[in-house]
Amino acid sequence: MNLLRCLAAFAVVYSHISFYLIDDLGTGWWGIDLTYDVLIAGAGLNNHLSFVGVAAFMMLTGMLITRSAIRERPGRFLAARITRLIPAFWVAIALAIVLVRLGINGMFSGHTGVGNSEAFLSFFLGAFFLKPQVAVLGVAWTLAVQIAFYLYCAAGRSLLRSAPAAVPVLGAALCMLVIVYNLYVPEPYSVPFLSKIAATLPAVFLGQIAYLAWAGLISVPALLVALLAQAQVVVLATDTQVYWAGSSYLWTIAVVFACVVLVSRVDGRIARSRVVKWVATRSYAIYLIHTLVMYRAYENTVPFLGETGAIVCLLVAVGLAAELLYRGVEMPAARWINDRWFARKPVGADGPAVAAPAPQSASA
């Protein structure tokens, strides 16, 4: 899985670099031009490779978490997953709030600042549910998707053990109900963020379906029904404009799914390289921290180093910040939690794969 985590982390960082240079600054970079020619204009993926990295992380979550959900009691399962996400997430949220209030960074939503109540809600993902949404750390929305999946798996554990194929199909039906609800109810009663979660969950369910197929827990007809159900959610979300970066989501998700299935079991020299392992084990930290440092790193170095040099500095800054978060927060917290609450399970075993993954490990 290390190679997939590594590629997903690069896709997420690339997507935000592309959005920033093209949409925000109105400039460009030769690497973006090359990627556009090959993967967007050529392969038909979303512009800026939007959702490519997120979808890959979500599919990894579905693959890795489903086995744990089947084997573990719901209480232990939820505690193990969520507690591994929280420490690094809370530190990243606190840092984001400090940077906004110092005027170093801006918000990831249409606000000039964050109030005390909004800051408090941000530590529990609650600010994403406000109207208008308050996002002090934009990438954190994917944690809400993961937690929704954890809760769904815990609630449906008996069904997952007795009729596993029904779980992703029922999940797709619930996702469509959420999207239709927000589409037709009066605005005061809608919860737009729930539609975003519902439109992203098909990627998680695709990972779950892949695991069920590999484990021999799903028949071929049920496999096809489950896949078609997820595709229908994606089509509905695209038609109702729940997605935020174009109309190529079904194709993009299909391509990512094919790549995940093909690459997830690759274990050659590249997959075992130090660089791949380093990025993979720090992918959760990279996911959480990269938007907090990359924009200032770029704008302060591009006048002196040019675009390519500034992007190299940006990547170095992200790597250093991720290393600090990983070594200073994520791993110590994982050891502390494991020693006190999950002593029978080695650190890193079956950790959540996130919007991002984590220290061989926990959770972009």
Side-chain angles (χ1 to χ4, degrees):
M1 298 294 179
N2 278 351
L3 183 57
L4 271 177
R5 285 190 174 106
C6 179
L7 294 174
F10 274 114
V12 167
V13 174
Y14 168 83
S15 178
H16 289 133
I17 290 173
S18 182
F19 271 115
Y20 177 59
L21 294 184
I22 302 298
D23 292 356
D24 292 350
L25 300 185
T27 59
W29 179 50
W30 63 266
I32 294 175
D33 295 336
L34 178 62
T35 302
Y36 180 88
D37 290 341
V38 175
L39 296 179
I40 298 168
L45 301 181
N46 283 344
N47 195 23
H48 304 298
L49 297 188
S50 177
F51 204 66
V52 170
V54 169
F57 276 132
M58 291 296 107
M59 289 174 197
L60 281 169
T61 292
M63 291 166 60
L64 298 174
I65 295 305
T66 298
R67 183 178 69 170
S68 298
I70 292 172
R71 295 183 176 185
E72 297 179 8
R73 299 187 307 274
R76 179 184 175 87
F77 166 76
L78 288 174
R81 269 36 317 137
I82 295 174
T83 54
R84 292 292 294 277
L85 294 175
I86 287 175
F89 166 62
W90 276 356
V91 169
I93 286 288
L95 180 59
I97 293 168
V98 169
L99 291 173
V100 166
R101 291 189 168 178
L102 290 177
I104 296 173
N105 280 358
M107 296 285 287
F108 293 89
S109 55
H111 300 77
T112 55
V114 55
N116 291 335
S117 61
E118 296 163 343
F120 176 78
L121 287 173
S122 296
F123 284 96
F124 304 93
L125 301 172
F128 286 114
F129 292 90
L130 299 176
K131 294 190 292 186
Q133 187 180 92
V134 177
V136 69
L137 180 61
V139 298
W141 70 269
T142 58
L143 296 182
V145 180
Q146 286 189 249
I147 292 172
F149 180 71
Y150 300 162
L151 293 171
Y152 177 69
C153 286
R157 180 174 181 256
S158 60
L159 187 62
L160 192 57
R161 291 165 66 95
S162 61
V167 175
V169 174
L170 178 59
L174 293 173
C175 289
M176 286 189 278
L177 283 176
V178 169
I179 293 171
V180 170
Y181 171 84
N182 278 328
L183 184 63
Y184 290 108
V185 301
E187 193 278 335
Y189 304 104
S190 67
V191 188
F193 186 54
L194 287 179
S195 288
K196 190 170 185 177
I197 293 174
T200 307
L201 277 170
V204 193
F205 287 126
L206 286 171
Q208 181 176 70
I209 293 165
Y211 170 77
L212 295 177
W214 283 331
L217 298 175
I218 188 171
S219 65
V220 172
L223 172 67
L224 295 176
V225 170
L227 291 174
L228 289 173
Q230 309 314 316
Q232 188 57 52
V233 178
V234 175
V235 169
L236 177 63
T238 303
D239 291 344
T240 55
Q241 298 182 332
V242 175
Y243 292 125
W244 53 94
S247 58
S248 299
Y249 276 83
L250 182 59
W251 174 247
T252 296
I253 291 172
V255 170
V256 173
F257 180 60
C259 291
V260 167
V261 170
L262 291 172
V263 176
S264 59
R265 296 189 174 185
V266 171
D267 192 29
R269 181 179 299 178
I270 294 176
R272 296 177 185 176
S273 70
R274 291 185 178 182
V275 172
V276 168
K277 183 178 180 180
W278 186 92
V279 175
T281 53
R282 288 145 181 84
S283 54
Y284 183 44
I286 291 171
Y287 193 89
L288 287 175
I289 208 75
H290 73 280
T291 56
L292 298 183
V293 302
M294 59 182 283
Y295 304 124
R296 302 295 80 79
Y298 181 87
E299 71 177 17
N300 286 302
T301 56
V302 69
F304 312 103
L305 302 176
E307 292 166 349
T308 299
I311 287 174
V312 171
C313 287
L314 173 162
L315 295 174
V316 170
V318 169
L320 291 174
E323 183 72 7
L324 289 173
L325 185 62
Y326 175 78
R327 290 189 177 274
V329 178
E330 190 177 350
M331 285 308 296
R335 293 191 187 99
W336 188 89
I337 290 168
N338 185 75
D339 290 344
R340 283 157 181 76
W341 295 344
F342 309 107
R344 289 176 297 173
K345 191 172 187 179
V347 173
D350 278 347
V354 214
Q360 208 48 351
S361 122
S363 168

